Amino acid sequence: MPVRIREATPQDAEAIAGIHVRAWQTAYRGQLSDDYLDQLRVDERLDMHRAALEAPPAEYRMWVAEDSGRPVGFAVTGKSQDADAEDRTAELYAIYLEPDRLGSGLGRELFQYAVDDLRERGFRSATLWVLETNERARRFYEIAGWKADGAVTSERVDCEMRSTVRYRSLL
């Protein structure tokens, strides 16, 4: 059975929280402290995902990639939260896969699905933020044609400030 991408429901919250934790523990190993990554727990992410799915903000979408009925990845999009964003600028808030799906092409398929949806909803451009040290993710976005736009900020992770860079693409 081929992978299917669909809009997430509140019943997906636990699976999404699990993917979120496992993806962070893999993707950010060597970028964030092992102690921080090792203590991540699904139950700590579950309430956040459940709340977002039960009462989503305006223009918010969460997509699930499922294989044989089991979620194996997710992407989250919506209106840009950046103070300098123009009216029809969207944002890719997150995209994560089960670690064993990295390099399979699923991430590209899920990413393109989410971007196509933004375009269909009338957004003209989109941004995303990525850890400056996350070379794999940055390469992924650059291959898709996205470009760093010069904006840099810091995000607090595990009591440390981590540099993040913004990528942008016209839709």
Side-chain angles (χ1 to χ4, degrees):
M1 173 183 281
V3 172
R4 177 173 82 112
I5 299 172
R6 61 171 174 79
E7 196 160 359
T9 68
Q11 292 74 28
D12 295 315
E14 187 168 2
I16 290 167
I19 294 166
H20 200 170
V21 166
R22 289 183 295 278
W24 269 56
Q25 289 172 329
T26 300
Y28 299 129
R29 190 74 58 189
Q31 298 175 67
L32 304 177
S33 77
D34 286 348
D35 288 342
Y36 173 74
L37 294 171
D38 292 342
Q39 63 83 32
L40 292 176
R41 299 288 175 260
V42 171
D43 60 334
E44 294 171 354
R45 304 272 170 131
L46 180 56
D47 289 341
M48 172 184 70
H49 289 297
R50 185 175 288 133
L53 289 166
E54 288 176 350
E59 304 212 44
Y60 178 95
R61 297 279 193 286
M62 185 179 292
W63 302 103
V64 169
E66 69 178 18
D67 188 359
S68 301
R70 184 178 73 89
V72 294
F74 72 96
V76 185
T77 63
K79 190 164 176 50
S80 175
Q81 297 177 350
D82 296 337
D84 64 348
E86 294 178 9
D87 184 47
R88 296 310 301 163
T89 300
E91 186 170 341
L92 176 71
Y93 304 130
I95 182 168
Y96 292 107
L97 301 177
E98 287 287 7
D100 67 346
R101 297 305 176 108
L102 293 174
S104 69
L106 176 60
R108 183 75 51 216
E109 185 179 347
L110 180 59
F111 181 77
Q112 192 59 55
Y113 191 96
V115 169
D116 288 347
D117 174 69
L118 292 171
R119 186 178 301 108
E120 289 171 12
R121 290 193 282 146
F123 288 101
R124 291 187 212 118
S125 65
T127 60
L128 59 85
W129 290 90
V130 60
L131 280 177
E132 186 173 38
T133 57
N134 194 342
E135 293 176 17
R136 182 180 187 134
R138 293 181 71 173
R139 193 169 46 253
F140 176 88
Y141 300 129
E142 289 165 3
I143 288 169
W146 291 52
K147 307 276 187 229
D149 71 1
V152 179
T153 191
S154 291
E155 182 177 330
R156 181 170 298 281
V157 180
D158 188 29
C159 300
E160 292 183 30
M161 297 304 287
R162 301 294 178 155
S163 182
T164 57
V165 295
R166 185 172 64 189
Y167 276 68
R168 179 180 302 274
S169 179
L170 294 177
L171 302 175

PDB file of all heavy atoms in Angstrom, residues 5 61 63 75 77 90 92 108-126 144 146 169-171:
ATOM      1  N   ILE A   5      -1.011  10.801   2.278  1.00  0.00           N
ATOM      2  CA  ILE A   5      -0.919  12.031   3.060  1.00  0.00           C
ATOM      3  C   ILE A   5      -2.323  12.557   3.245  1.00  0.00           C
ATOM      4  O   ILE A   5      -3.097  12.652   2.294  1.00  0.00           O
ATOM      5  CB  ILE A   5      -0.015  13.066   2.363  1.00  0.00           C
ATOM      6  CG1 ILE A   5       1.395  12.496   2.223  1.00  0.00           C
ATOM      7  CG2 ILE A   5      -0.004  14.371   3.160  1.00  0.00           C
ATOM      8  CD1 ILE A   5       2.341  13.344   1.391  1.00  0.00           C
ATOM      9  N   ARG A  61      -2.659  24.033   9.413  1.00  0.00           N
ATOM     10  CA  ARG A  61      -2.886  22.686   8.896  1.00  0.00           C
ATOM     11  C   ARG A  61      -1.788  21.758   9.415  1.00  0.00           C
ATOM     12  O   ARG A  61      -0.621  22.132   9.440  1.00  0.00           O
ATOM     13  CB  ARG A  61      -2.824  22.634   7.369  1.00  0.00           C
ATOM     14  CG  ARG A  61      -3.862  23.431   6.637  1.00  0.00           C
ATOM     15  CD  ARG A  61      -5.193  22.699   6.560  1.00  0.00           C
ATOM     16  NE  ARG A  61      -6.093  23.305   5.613  1.00  0.00           N
ATOM     17  CZ  ARG A  61      -6.747  24.445   5.785  1.00  0.00           C
ATOM     18  NH1 ARG A  61      -6.560  25.135   6.874  1.00  0.00           N
ATOM     19  NH2 ARG A  61      -7.564  24.905   4.863  1.00  0.00           N
ATOM     20  N   TRP A  63      -0.478  17.914   8.546  1.00  0.00           N
ATOM     21  CA  TRP A  63      -0.584  16.800   7.609  1.00  0.00           C
ATOM     22  C   TRP A  63       0.138  15.595   8.170  1.00  0.00           C
ATOM     23  O   TRP A  63       1.190  15.728   8.789  1.00  0.00           O
ATOM     24  CB  TRP A  63       0.034  17.181   6.261  1.00  0.00           C
ATOM     25  CG  TRP A  63      -0.604  18.388   5.670  1.00  0.00           C
ATOM     26  CD1 TRP A  63      -0.111  19.655   5.632  1.00  0.00           C
ATOM     27  CD2 TRP A  63      -1.888  18.453   5.067  1.00  0.00           C
ATOM     28  NE1 TRP A  63      -1.003  20.505   5.030  1.00  0.00           N
ATOM     29  CE2 TRP A  63      -2.108  19.790   4.672  1.00  0.00           C
ATOM     30  CE3 TRP A  63      -2.878  17.510   4.802  1.00  0.00           C
ATOM     31  CZ2 TRP A  63      -3.265  20.213   4.029  1.00  0.00           C
ATOM     32  CZ3 TRP A  63      -4.041  17.930   4.177  1.00  0.00           C
ATOM     33  CH2 TRP A  63      -4.225  19.261   3.792  1.00  0.00           C
ATOM     34  N   ALA A  75       3.747  17.195   8.952  1.00  0.00           N
ATOM     35  CA  ALA A  75       4.158  18.559   8.619  1.00  0.00           C
ATOM     36  C   ALA A  75       3.086  19.505   9.137  1.00  0.00           C
ATOM     37  O   ALA A  75       1.904  19.162   9.152  1.00  0.00           O
ATOM     38  CB  ALA A  75       4.320  18.719   7.109  1.00  0.00           C
ATOM     39  N   THR A  77       1.770  23.618   8.906  1.00  0.00           N
ATOM     40  CA  THR A  77       1.864  24.895   8.211  1.00  0.00           C
ATOM     41  C   THR A  77       0.796  25.853   8.707  1.00  0.00           C
ATOM     42  O   THR A  77      -0.189  25.446   9.331  1.00  0.00           O
ATOM     43  CB  THR A  77       1.680  24.715   6.689  1.00  0.00           C
ATOM     44  OG1 THR A  77       0.354  24.218   6.438  1.00  0.00           O
ATOM     45  CG2 THR A  77       2.721  23.783   6.092  1.00  0.00           C
ATOM     46  N   ALA A  90       3.091  32.478   4.339  1.00  0.00           N
ATOM     47  CA  ALA A  90       2.850  31.289   5.163  1.00  0.00           C
ATOM     48  C   ALA A  90       4.147  30.896   5.862  1.00  0.00           C
ATOM     49  O   ALA A  90       5.213  31.461   5.604  1.00  0.00           O
ATOM     50  CB  ALA A  90       2.363  30.149   4.294  1.00  0.00           C
ATOM     51  N   LEU A  92       6.174  27.169   7.261  1.00  0.00           N
ATOM     52  CA  LEU A  92       6.275  25.745   7.571  1.00  0.00           C
ATOM     53  C   LEU A  92       6.813  25.694   8.993  1.00  0.00           C
ATOM     54  O   LEU A  92       7.966  26.029   9.235  1.00  0.00           O
ATOM     55  CB  LEU A  92       7.219  25.031   6.606  1.00  0.00           C
ATOM     56  CG  LEU A  92       7.466  23.559   6.922  1.00  0.00           C
ATOM     57  CD1 LEU A  92       6.230  22.715   6.628  1.00  0.00           C
ATOM     58  CD2 LEU A  92       8.656  23.025   6.129  1.00  0.00           C
ATOM     59  N   ARG A 108      10.435  14.574   1.100  1.00  0.00           N
ATOM     60  CA  ARG A 108      10.239  15.438  -0.071  1.00  0.00           C
ATOM     61  C   ARG A 108       8.770  15.436  -0.480  1.00  0.00           C
ATOM     62  O   ARG A 108       8.196  16.475  -0.786  1.00  0.00           O
ATOM     63  CB  ARG A 108      11.134  14.939  -1.211  1.00  0.00           C
ATOM     64  CG  ARG A 108      11.091  15.776  -2.430  1.00  0.00           C
ATOM     65  CD  ARG A 108      11.818  17.086  -2.364  1.00  0.00           C
ATOM     66  NE  ARG A 108      13.171  16.967  -1.891  1.00  0.00           N
ATOM     67  CZ  ARG A 108      13.748  17.888  -1.118  1.00  0.00           C
ATOM     68  NH1 ARG A 108      13.103  18.980  -0.768  1.00  0.00           N
ATOM     69  NH2 ARG A 108      14.978  17.740  -0.707  1.00  0.00           N
ATOM     70  N   GLU A 109       8.148  14.258  -0.482  1.00  0.00           N
ATOM     71  CA  GLU A 109       6.734  14.148  -0.861  1.00  0.00           C
ATOM     72  C   GLU A 109       5.840  14.908   0.116  1.00  0.00           C
ATOM     73  O   GLU A 109       4.932  15.651  -0.298  1.00  0.00           O
ATOM     74  CB  GLU A 109       6.346  12.671  -0.913  1.00  0.00           C
ATOM     75  CG  GLU A 109       4.955  12.406  -1.397  1.00  0.00           C
ATOM     76  CD  GLU A 109       4.613  10.921  -1.458  1.00  0.00           C
ATOM     77  OE1 GLU A 109       5.511  10.064  -1.356  1.00  0.00           O
ATOM     78  OE2 GLU A 109       3.411  10.626  -1.610  1.00  0.00           O
ATOM     79  N   LEU A 110       6.074  14.744   1.397  1.00  0.00           N
ATOM     80  CA  LEU A 110       5.284  15.426   2.422  1.00  0.00           C
ATOM     81  C   LEU A 110       5.489  16.933   2.350  1.00  0.00           C
ATOM     82  O   LEU A 110       4.539  17.714   2.426  1.00  0.00           O
ATOM     83  CB  LEU A 110       5.657  14.879   3.804  1.00  0.00           C
ATOM     84  CG  LEU A 110       4.952  15.469   5.007  1.00  0.00           C
ATOM     85  CD1 LEU A 110       3.439  15.298   4.910  1.00  0.00           C
ATOM     86  CD2 LEU A 110       5.490  14.814   6.288  1.00  0.00           C
ATOM     87  N   PHE A 111       6.735  17.352   2.192  1.00  0.00           N
ATOM     88  CA  PHE A 111       7.069  18.767   2.076  1.00  0.00           C
ATOM     89  C   PHE A 111       6.338  19.382   0.879  1.00  0.00           C
ATOM     90  O   PHE A 111       5.700  20.427   1.007  1.00  0.00           O
ATOM     91  CB  PHE A 111       8.587  18.903   1.929  1.00  0.00           C
ATOM     92  CG  PHE A 111       9.085  20.312   1.809  1.00  0.00           C
ATOM     93  CD1 PHE A 111       9.185  21.133   2.914  1.00  0.00           C
ATOM     94  CD2 PHE A 111       9.486  20.805   0.582  1.00  0.00           C
ATOM     95  CE1 PHE A 111       9.667  22.423   2.801  1.00  0.00           C
ATOM     96  CE2 PHE A 111       9.970  22.095   0.457  1.00  0.00           C
ATOM     97  CZ  PHE A 111      10.060  22.906   1.572  1.00  0.00           C
ATOM     98  N   GLN A 112       6.409  18.725  -0.271  1.00  0.00           N
ATOM     99  CA  GLN A 112       5.770  19.250  -1.473  1.00  0.00           C
ATOM    100  C   GLN A 112       4.257  19.310  -1.313  1.00  0.00           C
ATOM    101  O   GLN A 112       3.611  20.262  -1.759  1.00  0.00           O
ATOM    102  CB  GLN A 112       6.143  18.420  -2.699  1.00  0.00           C
ATOM    103  CG  GLN A 112       5.745  19.076  -3.999  1.00  0.00           C
ATOM    104  CD  GLN A 112       6.405  20.438  -4.175  1.00  0.00           C
ATOM    105  OE1 GLN A 112       7.629  20.558  -4.106  1.00  0.00           O
ATOM    106  NE2 GLN A 112       5.600  21.472  -4.381  1.00  0.00           N
ATOM    107  N   TYR A 113       3.679  18.323  -0.656  1.00  0.00           N
ATOM    108  CA  TYR A 113       2.238  18.308  -0.414  1.00  0.00           C
ATOM    109  C   TYR A 113       1.833  19.534   0.412  1.00  0.00           C
ATOM    110  O   TYR A 113       0.867  20.234   0.097  1.00  0.00           O
ATOM    111  CB  TYR A 113       1.848  17.020   0.309  1.00  0.00           C
ATOM    112  CG  TYR A 113       0.364  16.777   0.379  1.00  0.00           C
ATOM    113  CD1 TYR A 113      -0.263  15.963  -0.555  1.00  0.00           C
ATOM    114  CD2 TYR A 113      -0.409  17.354   1.370  1.00  0.00           C
ATOM    115  CE1 TYR A 113      -1.629  15.730  -0.497  1.00  0.00           C
ATOM    116  CE2 TYR A 113      -1.770  17.138   1.431  1.00  0.00           C
ATOM    117  CZ  TYR A 113      -2.387  16.328   0.495  1.00  0.00           C
ATOM    118  OH  TYR A 113      -3.731  16.109   0.561  1.00  0.00           O
ATOM    119  N   ALA A 114       2.590  19.801   1.480  1.00  0.00           N
ATOM    120  CA  ALA A 114       2.290  20.939   2.355  1.00  0.00           C
ATOM    121  C   ALA A 114       2.453  22.262   1.603  1.00  0.00           C
ATOM    122  O   ALA A 114       1.615  23.170   1.732  1.00  0.00           O
ATOM    123  CB  ALA A 114       3.190  20.896   3.589  1.00  0.00           C
ATOM    124  N   VAL A 115       3.504  22.389   0.804  1.00  0.00           N
ATOM    125  CA  VAL A 115       3.735  23.609   0.025  1.00  0.00           C
ATOM    126  C   VAL A 115       2.637  23.794  -1.015  1.00  0.00           C
ATOM    127  O   VAL A 115       2.130  24.914  -1.198  1.00  0.00           O
ATOM    128  CB  VAL A 115       5.142  23.571  -0.617  1.00  0.00           C
ATOM    129  CG1 VAL A 115       5.311  24.685  -1.650  1.00  0.00           C
ATOM    130  CG2 VAL A 115       6.222  23.672   0.457  1.00  0.00           C
ATOM    131  N   ASP A 116       2.249  22.727  -1.691  1.00  0.00           N
ATOM    132  CA  ASP A 116       1.165  22.821  -2.679  1.00  0.00           C
ATOM    133  C   ASP A 116      -0.129  23.292  -2.021  1.00  0.00           C
ATOM    134  O   ASP A 116      -0.873  24.098  -2.596  1.00  0.00           O
ATOM    135  CB  ASP A 116       0.945  21.475  -3.368  1.00  0.00           C
ATOM    136  CG  ASP A 116       2.060  21.105  -4.327  1.00  0.00           C
ATOM    137  OD1 ASP A 116       2.900  21.964  -4.674  1.00  0.00           O
ATOM    138  OD2 ASP A 116       2.109  19.914  -4.727  1.00  0.00           O
ATOM    139  N   ASP A 117      -0.402  22.795  -0.819  1.00  0.00           N
ATOM    140  CA  ASP A 117      -1.603  23.223  -0.105  1.00  0.00           C
ATOM    141  C   ASP A 117      -1.544  24.719   0.207  1.00  0.00           C
ATOM    142  O   ASP A 117      -2.546  25.421   0.068  1.00  0.00           O
ATOM    143  CB  ASP A 117      -1.780  22.414   1.184  1.00  0.00           C
ATOM    144  CG  ASP A 117      -2.934  22.944   2.010  1.00  0.00           C
ATOM    145  OD1 ASP A 117      -4.098  22.790   1.580  1.00  0.00           O
ATOM    146  OD2 ASP A 117      -2.669  23.545   3.079  1.00  0.00           O
ATOM    147  N   LEU A 118      -0.385  25.205   0.620  1.00  0.00           N
ATOM    148  CA  LEU A 118      -0.249  26.643   0.905  1.00  0.00           C
ATOM    149  C   LEU A 118      -0.539  27.465  -0.351  1.00  0.00           C
ATOM    150  O   LEU A 118      -1.248  28.472  -0.295  1.00  0.00           O
ATOM    151  CB  LEU A 118       1.157  26.952   1.434  1.00  0.00           C
ATOM    152  CG  LEU A 118       1.478  26.392   2.809  1.00  0.00           C
ATOM    153  CD1 LEU A 118       2.952  26.579   3.130  1.00  0.00           C
ATOM    154  CD2 LEU A 118       0.598  27.028   3.882  1.00  0.00           C
ATOM    155  N   ARG A 119       0.005  27.029  -1.460  1.00  0.00           N
ATOM    156  CA  ARG A 119      -0.211  27.720  -2.731  1.00  0.00           C
ATOM    157  C   ARG A 119      -1.714  27.727  -3.069  1.00  0.00           C
ATOM    158  O   ARG A 119      -2.271  28.760  -3.442  1.00  0.00           O
ATOM    159  CB  ARG A 119       0.588  27.032  -3.838  1.00  0.00           C
ATOM    160  CG  ARG A 119       0.555  27.756  -5.171  1.00  0.00           C
ATOM    161  CD  ARG A 119       1.404  27.053  -6.237  1.00  0.00           C
ATOM    162  NE  ARG A 119       2.805  26.938  -5.850  1.00  0.00           N
ATOM    163  CZ  ARG A 119       3.404  25.791  -5.500  1.00  0.00           C
ATOM    164  NH1 ARG A 119       2.745  24.645  -5.519  1.00  0.00           N
ATOM    165  NH2 ARG A 119       4.681  25.766  -5.166  1.00  0.00           N
ATOM    166  N   GLU A 120      -2.358  26.570  -2.927  1.00  0.00           N
ATOM    167  CA  GLU A 120      -3.788  26.463  -3.234  1.00  0.00           C
ATOM    168  C   GLU A 120      -4.634  27.344  -2.322  1.00  0.00           C
ATOM    169  O   GLU A 120      -5.709  27.801  -2.717  1.00  0.00           O
ATOM    170  CB  GLU A 120      -4.238  25.008  -3.118  1.00  0.00           C
ATOM    171  CG  GLU A 120      -3.705  24.132  -4.233  1.00  0.00           C
ATOM    172  CD  GLU A 120      -3.958  22.648  -3.998  1.00  0.00           C
ATOM    173  OE1 GLU A 120      -4.749  22.293  -3.088  1.00  0.00           O
ATOM    174  OE2 GLU A 120      -3.347  21.835  -4.710  1.00  0.00           O
ATOM    175  N   ARG A 121      -4.148  27.598  -1.109  1.00  0.00           N
ATOM    176  CA  ARG A 121      -4.896  28.453  -0.182  1.00  0.00           C
ATOM    177  C   ARG A 121      -4.616  29.940  -0.393  1.00  0.00           C
ATOM    178  O   ARG A 121      -5.120  30.771   0.352  1.00  0.00           O
ATOM    179  CB  ARG A 121      -4.583  28.060   1.260  1.00  0.00           C
ATOM    180  CG  ARG A 121      -5.194  26.712   1.598  1.00  0.00           C
ATOM    181  CD  ARG A 121      -5.179  26.425   3.081  1.00  0.00           C
ATOM    182  NE  ARG A 121      -3.874  26.004   3.552  1.00  0.00           N
ATOM    183  CZ  ARG A 121      -3.387  26.299   4.761  1.00  0.00           C
ATOM    184  NH1 ARG A 121      -4.078  27.020   5.604  1.00  0.00           N
ATOM    185  NH2 ARG A 121      -2.198  25.854   5.120  1.00  0.00           N
ATOM    186  N   GLY A 122      -3.816  30.273  -1.404  1.00  0.00           N
ATOM    187  CA  GLY A 122      -3.615  31.671  -1.762  1.00  0.00           C
ATOM    188  C   GLY A 122      -2.407  32.344  -1.141  1.00  0.00           C
ATOM    189  O   GLY A 122      -2.235  33.564  -1.301  1.00  0.00           O
ATOM    190  N   PHE A 123      -1.566  31.608  -0.469  1.00  0.00           N
ATOM    191  CA  PHE A 123      -0.340  32.214   0.039  1.00  0.00           C
ATOM    192  C   PHE A 123       0.601  32.465  -1.134  1.00  0.00           C
ATOM    193  O   PHE A 123       0.639  31.691  -2.090  1.00  0.00           O
ATOM    194  CB  PHE A 123       0.325  31.309   1.087  1.00  0.00           C
ATOM    195  CG  PHE A 123      -0.419  31.257   2.386  1.00  0.00           C
ATOM    196  CD1 PHE A 123      -1.229  30.175   2.694  1.00  0.00           C
ATOM    197  CD2 PHE A 123      -0.331  32.296   3.298  1.00  0.00           C
ATOM    198  CE1 PHE A 123      -1.933  30.118   3.888  1.00  0.00           C
ATOM    199  CE2 PHE A 123      -1.030  32.261   4.492  1.00  0.00           C
ATOM    200  CZ  PHE A 123      -1.834  31.163   4.801  1.00  0.00           C
ATOM    201  N   ARG A 124       1.376  33.551  -1.058  1.00  0.00           N
ATOM    202  CA  ARG A 124       2.273  33.924  -2.156  1.00  0.00           C
ATOM    203  C   ARG A 124       3.726  33.567  -1.878  1.00  0.00           C
ATOM    204  O   ARG A 124       4.520  33.453  -2.803  1.00  0.00           O
ATOM    205  CB  ARG A 124       2.158  35.417  -2.427  1.00  0.00           C
ATOM    206  CG  ARG A 124       0.821  35.783  -3.012  1.00  0.00           C
ATOM    207  CD  ARG A 124       0.789  37.245  -3.424  1.00  0.00           C
ATOM    208  NE  ARG A 124      -0.562  37.722  -3.244  1.00  0.00           N
ATOM    209  CZ  ARG A 124      -0.930  38.686  -2.430  1.00  0.00           C
ATOM    210  NH1 ARG A 124      -0.041  39.339  -1.723  1.00  0.00           N
ATOM    211  NH2 ARG A 124      -2.183  39.033  -2.323  1.00  0.00           N
ATOM    212  N   SER A 125       4.071  33.464  -0.604  1.00  0.00           N
ATOM    213  CA  SER A 125       5.432  33.081  -0.217  1.00  0.00           C
ATOM    214  C   SER A 125       5.346  32.324   1.095  1.00  0.00           C
ATOM    215  O   SER A 125       4.300  32.323   1.757  1.00  0.00           O
ATOM    216  CB  SER A 125       6.337  34.314  -0.076  1.00  0.00           C
ATOM    217  OG  SER A 125       5.892  35.129   0.992  1.00  0.00           O
ATOM    218  N   ALA A 126       6.456  31.676   1.439  1.00  0.00           N
ATOM    219  CA  ALA A 126       6.487  30.923   2.694  1.00  0.00           C
ATOM    220  C   ALA A 126       7.886  30.998   3.283  1.00  0.00           C
ATOM    221  O   ALA A 126       8.878  31.171   2.561  1.00  0.00           O
ATOM    222  CB  ALA A 126       6.098  29.467   2.464  1.00  0.00           C
ATOM    223  N   ALA A 144      15.169  21.979  -2.541  1.00  0.00           N
ATOM    224  CA  ALA A 144      13.791  22.311  -2.918  1.00  0.00           C
ATOM    225  C   ALA A 144      13.673  23.735  -3.466  1.00  0.00           C
ATOM    226  O   ALA A 144      12.580  24.151  -3.849  1.00  0.00           O
ATOM    227  CB  ALA A 144      12.862  22.130  -1.724  1.00  0.00           C
ATOM    228  N   TRP A 146      14.522  26.623  -1.781  1.00  0.00           N
ATOM    229  CA  TRP A 146      14.379  27.646  -0.754  1.00  0.00           C
ATOM    230  C   TRP A 146      15.743  28.277  -0.492  1.00  0.00           C
ATOM    231  O   TRP A 146      16.774  27.621  -0.626  1.00  0.00           O
ATOM    232  CB  TRP A 146      13.809  27.051   0.520  1.00  0.00           C
ATOM    233  CG  TRP A 146      12.380  26.625   0.382  1.00  0.00           C
ATOM    234  CD1 TRP A 146      11.846  25.814  -0.577  1.00  0.00           C
ATOM    235  CD2 TRP A 146      11.300  26.975   1.231  1.00  0.00           C
ATOM    236  NE1 TRP A 146      10.502  25.636  -0.378  1.00  0.00           N
ATOM    237  CE2 TRP A 146      10.132  26.340   0.734  1.00  0.00           C
ATOM    238  CE3 TRP A 146      11.195  27.749   2.372  1.00  0.00           C
ATOM    239  CZ2 TRP A 146       8.892  26.475   1.334  1.00  0.00           C
ATOM    240  CZ3 TRP A 146       9.955  27.879   2.983  1.00  0.00           C
ATOM    241  CH2 TRP A 146       8.822  27.252   2.459  1.00  0.00           C
ATOM    242  N   SER A 169      10.693  31.034   0.291  1.00  0.00           N
ATOM    243  CA  SER A 169      10.420  30.642  -1.087  1.00  0.00           C
ATOM    244  C   SER A 169       9.156  31.334  -1.556  1.00  0.00           C
ATOM    245  O   SER A 169       8.222  31.530  -0.790  1.00  0.00           O
ATOM    246  CB  SER A 169      10.211  29.126  -1.178  1.00  0.00           C
ATOM    247  OG  SER A 169       9.926  28.740  -2.506  1.00  0.00           O
ATOM    248  N   LEU A 170       9.159  31.698  -2.832  1.00  0.00           N
ATOM    249  CA  LEU A 170       7.932  32.170  -3.446  1.00  0.00           C
ATOM    250  C   LEU A 170       7.090  30.952  -3.779  1.00  0.00           C
ATOM    251  O   LEU A 170       7.610  29.885  -4.112  1.00  0.00           O
ATOM    252  CB  LEU A 170       8.229  32.958  -4.719  1.00  0.00           C
ATOM    253  CG  LEU A 170       8.971  34.276  -4.509  1.00  0.00           C
ATOM    254  CD1 LEU A 170       9.276  34.911  -5.870  1.00  0.00           C
ATOM    255  CD2 LEU A 170       8.188  35.224  -3.626  1.00  0.00           C
ATOM    256  N   LEU A 171       5.791  31.089  -3.657  1.00  0.00           N
ATOM    257  CA  LEU A 171       4.891  29.993  -3.981  1.00  0.00           C
ATOM    258  C   LEU A 171       4.269  30.269  -5.320  1.00  0.00           C
ATOM    259  O   LEU A 171       3.801  29.595  -6.053  1.00  0.00           O
ATOM    260  CB  LEU A 171       3.822  29.820  -2.901  1.00  0.00           C
ATOM    261  CG  LEU A 171       4.350  29.565  -1.481  1.00  0.00           C
ATOM    262  CD1 LEU A 171       3.224  29.525  -0.486  1.00  0.00           C
ATOM    263  CD2 LEU A 171       5.143  28.271  -1.430  1.00  0.00           C
TER     264      LEU A 171
END
